[in-house]
Amino acid sequence: MSRVRNFCAGPCTLPAEVLDEVSNELSDFEGSGMSLIEMSHRSPEYVAVHEDAIDRLRRVLEVPDDFEVLFLQGGGLLQFAMVPMNLVPAGSTAGYVRSGAWGKAAHGDATRASSSYVAWDGQDNGFTRMPQPQEIEVRSEARYVHVTSNETIEGIQLRELPDLGVPLVVDVSSDFLTQSVEWERVDLVYGGVQKNLGPAGLAVVVIRRSALDGCAADLPSYLSFPSHAKAGSLLNTPPMFSVYVTGKMLRWIEARGGLAGMAERAERRSSRIYDVIEASTGFYTSPAEPQARSRTNVVFRLADPDLDARFLAETRAAGLVNLKGHRSVGGMRASIYNAMPDEGVDELAGFMRDFAQAAG
Ligand code: PMP
């Protein structure tokens, strides 16, 4: 069986080594006679896997001691509601940077959960850049400002979290563990693991302990951050398979230089595709402003959209799949997450060069 190069925006490709390990131990986990996902989530075997994954994530993401790591379900999407429900008390509000489709969606849910306002809106410039810090409106009563560190659909990214003098809440769903977090500026970061870290099912929340102490006290148990923290993220049955594979993926990342290694890979690999776009003298274009170009989701267009179908058919035939851009943006999108092998990126760059020469 030959594996394709999967540039899907999520769920993502996983390393062949990790998949092999999982399949080898799937039916009999450590001599127990059953797979890990058939065990009780209270069994010593699972609890060890669960705690190891949390500790490992803390280490790899360089999470300071005054933050708690929570493993939850409901994806990034549940956090759009859960964060304001927990953090924004009556009489307070929260600012939302609408830098793209996901920032806009986060704000939409926040308006239903608590008071909120638009701190910056990139719609007028077609979501092609991120705001400068001084463009973001910070109201005195704001509990936090929410930013999306990487807009998955438009392919734009914050290179550094802004210092606004108010805590940030950051949706890191699509650039999780590809760049470091300026922890002193944030109260909470969250993201699903299914792009850079593992299979869908697990969402990670990293929350400052002082913010945890200030959370709303009257929420139903699953919606309350403190109730998950108190239970060590074992309040109810966790997404065991996703936690298990995420633990393996974290080990894989540690063996490849950890966060610094992943940041270097993301920079180097995305640059390879942006370089082809730049060198193509207009055959390919990137709608994102150069300083905001995402290192995980490379969005590009062909100058002649009549060639889109041929580009997609020929890439697919070459084993390079899931390159079609989001329907709201059009064109192409190459999602290059942590587990994409370098060879996959080289093959795509080579294909793009050859295609431009043959069709241009
Ligand atoms: N935020 C961003 C930036 C995303 O890319 C996504 C998923 N594509 C989400 C939130 C929603 O995440 P989930 O599917 O895990 O609920």
Side-chain angles (χ1 to χ4, degrees):
M1 185 196 68
S2 76
R3 279 175 59 78
V4 293
R5 308 297 187 192
N6 179 10
F7 294 92
C8 185
C12 68
T13 192
L14 288 170
E17 302 92 308
V18 168
L19 295 175
D20 284 349
E21 230 182 88
V22 170
S23 61
N24 285 340
E25 62 189 31
L26 194 60
S27 58
D28 182 8
F29 183 75
E30 293 181 353
S32 62
M34 63 175 101
S35 70
L36 186 86
I37 53 176
E38 294 167 292
M39 286 179 189
S40 163
H41 60 291
R42 310 277 174 207
S43 65
E45 290 93 337
Y46 178 72
V47 171
V49 166
H50 186 89
E51 290 177 350
D52 176 75
I54 292 180
D55 290 349
R56 218 174 271 279
L57 185 115
R58 178 180 278 288
R59 260 202 321 276
V60 178
L61 194 56
E62 296 161 3
V63 177
D65 288 344
D66 56 337
F67 283 77
E68 193 79 45
V69 175
L70 306 178
F71 277 7
L72 307 177
Q73 303 195 52
L77 201 63
L78 180 58
Q79 295 313 311
F80 288 179
M82 211 166 149
V83 169
M85 288 169 92
N86 277 268
L87 295 191
V88 185
S92 185
T93 189
Y96 277 74
V97 170
R98 290 165 44 122
S99 46
W102 287 111
K104 219 171 126 177
H107 177 242
D109 274 353
T111 59
R112 294 171 201 112
S114 73
S115 164
S116 65
Y117 68 95
V118 179
W120 186 76
D121 198 329
Q123 184 119 34
D124 287 348
N125 57 52
F127 297 133
T128 53
R129 70 176 181 94
M130 286 291 188
Q132 295 299 315
Q134 63 275 14
E135 295 178 286
I136 300 172
E137 184 192 347
V138 180
R139 295 193 184 159
S140 58
E141 68 277 23
R143 170 64 187 82
Y144 61 78
V145 168
H146 179 283
V147 296
T148 308
S149 56
N150 186 74
E151 287 286 0
T152 323
I153 292 175
E154 295 82 2
I156 54 172
Q157 187 176 28
L158 280 167
R159 287 279 177 269
E160 185 188 337
L161 297 177
D163 184 359
L164 300 177
V166 64
L168 299 178
V169 167
V170 191
D171 176 0
V172 296
S173 290
S174 52
D175 62 357
F176 216 169
L177 276 166
T178 66
Q179 64 176 359
S180 51
V181 175
E182 289 80 11
W183 290 106
E184 68 287 356
R185 296 178 186 170
V186 311
D187 262 10
L188 191 148
V189 306
Y190 68 88
V193 300
Q194 68 272 17
K195 301 180 197 297
N196 280 292
L197 262 185
L202 172 63
V204 178
V205 170
V206 185
I207 179 171
R208 191 180 287 277
R209 287 191 216 277
S210 58
L212 197 55
D213 294 341
C215 283
D218 53 354
L219 292 172
S221 57
Y222 198 87
L223 299 177
S224 155
F225 290 133
S227 66
H228 289 287
K230 221 174 335 157
S233 299
L234 284 167
L235 178 68
N236 67 336
T237 318
M240 296 167 70
F241 185 72
S242 183
V243 171
Y244 162 61
V245 182
T246 296
K248 289 192 183 295
M249 184 65 191
L250 285 164
R251 215 168 292 158
W252 183 92
I253 288 173
E254 280 182 308
R256 283 156 188 78
L259 187 56
M262 294 302 111
E264 184 275 325
R265 275 163 78 92
E267 169 76 43
R268 176 168 46 78
R269 287 132 45 106
S270 59
S271 296
R272 221 168 275 176
I273 304 300
Y274 289 121
D275 287 349
V276 174
I277 294 169
E278 289 303 317
S280 75
T281 55
F283 185 85
Y284 302 109
T285 56
S286 156
E289 289 195 358
Q291 64 278 11
R293 286 177 181 169
S294 169
R295 293 188 183 115
T296 46
N297 306 102
V298 179
V299 170
F300 60 96
R301 297 201 180 108
L302 278 67
D304 177 2
D306 287 346
L307 290 173
D308 282 3
R310 185 175 146 201
F311 182 91
L312 287 168
E314 290 187 17
T315 44
R316 206 175 304 116
L320 307 165
V321 307
N322 285 322
L323 285 161
K324 192 171 171 21
H326 190 271
R327 59 192 176 281
S328 65
V329 172
M332 308 297 154
R333 171 174 54 173
S335 296
I336 306 169
Y337 296 128
N338 283 336
M340 170 60 66
D342 278 358
E343 294 77 8
V345 179
D346 290 342
E347 286 166 25
L348 176 60
F351 177 91
M352 287 172 68
R353 251 184 251 114
D354 293 347
F355 186 85
Q357 216 155 42

